[in-house]
Amino acid sequence: MPRCGIEESQWLSFLEVLGDVQLQQVPDRLGWTLDTSDSFSVSSVRFALDSGLVPSEDMGTRWNNWVPIKLNILVGRIQLYSIPTRERLSNRGVMVPSIMCPICMVAVETIEHTFAGCRDLRDIWGRVAIWWGLSLPSQITVPSLINWSDGVNLSRGQRKAFDAVIITSFWCLRNFRNASIFGTVLTKKSIIFYDVVEKSFFWISNRCGRVKLRWTEWLHNPSLATSLM
């Protein structure tokens, strides 16, 4: 006879299924099949995402503790091409007055153009090279500039200081770009390089406890100033 709207044959099948169930005196828990332990946890979710569900990138994350965290984050975003330039904003449907570079107004403002290709800003890298007595990368691109310090003939400490200067240069270029668009006072391009020299000296001298930098040596010969690092 039917019970609770279930036919007798269905009820018997249901009882057979329940007959294979063994109850244990343990607390209730969440489980899932993506973990071999059959236990659900936040760490198992993160491991599943990292190991299979999120595509991995070949590029490594650069981090230099001689500059503030915000500078490292900026370079990381530049490396991933995730800075909101006018081109990227326009592609997302954001209304912008123009997609042209606000500095030179002759090319579309992309991340590559802003930090490596703008004719009004790219000379900053040449001045950094002359200041340190080094050669520029064979091709001036965002990746080659980010990894510039890896291929120079300097000691480990000097390379870290030079890397801090490169990161600071990206920061100052970004600040100049933003000030040109949103600032109330017109900023001169001629002060970008001095800003790089001054800020990098301040951050390195306060964050590196190995050697006390001297401003005069840093200004005229940064390789000598960092030779003991």
Side-chain angles (χ1 to χ4, degrees):
M1 61 180 294
R3 302 182 183 184
C4 301
I6 302 176
E7 296 294 335
E8 186 172 359
S9 60
Q10 295 175 326
W11 181 256
L12 292 174
S13 298
F14 181 64
L15 290 177
E16 290 178 358
V17 172
L18 288 179
D20 296 331
V21 176
Q22 297 181 355
L23 299 179
Q24 299 177 355
Q25 296 296 326
V26 294
D28 293 339
R29 62 182 177 83
L30 292 174
W32 69 337
T33 58
L34 290 180
D35 190 271
T36 55
S37 66
D38 195 35
S39 298
F40 175 84
S41 65
V42 174
S43 61
S44 66
V45 175
R46 181 164 52 186
F47 177 79
L49 292 173
D50 291 341
S51 60
L53 300 181
V54 176
S56 60
E57 296 288 345
D58 292 334
M59 70 180 79
T61 302
R62 302 185 68 91
W63 197 268
N64 191 320
N65 60 3
W66 288 357
V67 295
I69 294 176
K70 59 185 179 181
L71 275 70
N72 287 287
I73 294 175
L74 172 68
V75 172
R77 294 184 64 195
I78 293 172
Q79 192 174 16
L80 294 173
Y81 289 84
S82 63
I83 297 294
T85 60
R86 288 183 169 185
E87 178 210 33
R88 298 188 75 244
L89 292 174
S90 178
N91 290 339
R92 292 180 179 181
V94 179
M95 297 296 295
V96 293
S98 172
I99 64 172
M100 304 302 287
C101 172
I103 309 301
C104 66
M105 295 301 294
V106 297
V108 175
E109 188 195 39
T110 64
I111 292 176
E112 190 69 41
H113 173 82
T114 300
F115 296 102
C118 181
R119 67 181 187 184
D120 291 347
L121 298 179
R122 62 189 175 196
D123 65 320
I124 183 69
W125 300 112
R127 297 188 67 178
V128 169
I130 294 173
W131 176 39
W132 276 78
L134 300 171
S135 299
L136 282 166
S138 57
Q139 293 183 341
I140 309 299
T141 63
V142 165
S144 69
L145 291 170
I146 290 177
N147 299 302
W148 187 4
S149 62
D150 295 339
V152 296
N153 186 22
L154 296 172
S155 67
R156 181 178 178 180
Q158 288 174 312
R159 285 199 306 271
K160 186 172 182 178
F162 182 57
D163 183 61
V165 170
I166 294 171
I167 295 173
T168 304
S169 299
F170 278 105
W171 176 262
C172 292
L173 287 172
R174 181 64 176 173
N175 282 349
F176 177 80
R177 179 265 184 193
N178 289 343
S180 300
I181 298 175
F182 307 110
T184 57
V185 179
L186 183 62
T187 305
K188 297 181 179 180
K189 292 190 290 290
S190 58
I191 71 169
I192 298 177
F193 176 71
Y194 183 78
D195 206 26
V196 171
V197 175
E198 185 179 41
K199 281 183 168 58
S200 59
F201 172 80
F202 177 78
W203 286 325
I204 294 173
S205 60
N206 282 279
R207 289 170 176 266
C208 174
R210 303 176 189 174
V211 177
K212 182 175 178 58
L213 288 180
R214 297 185 179 183
W215 170 250
T216 303
E217 290 183 351
W218 177 256
L219 187 64
H220 295 96
N221 194 337
S223 296
L224 178 61
T226 58
S227 59
L228 298 178
M229 287 184 170

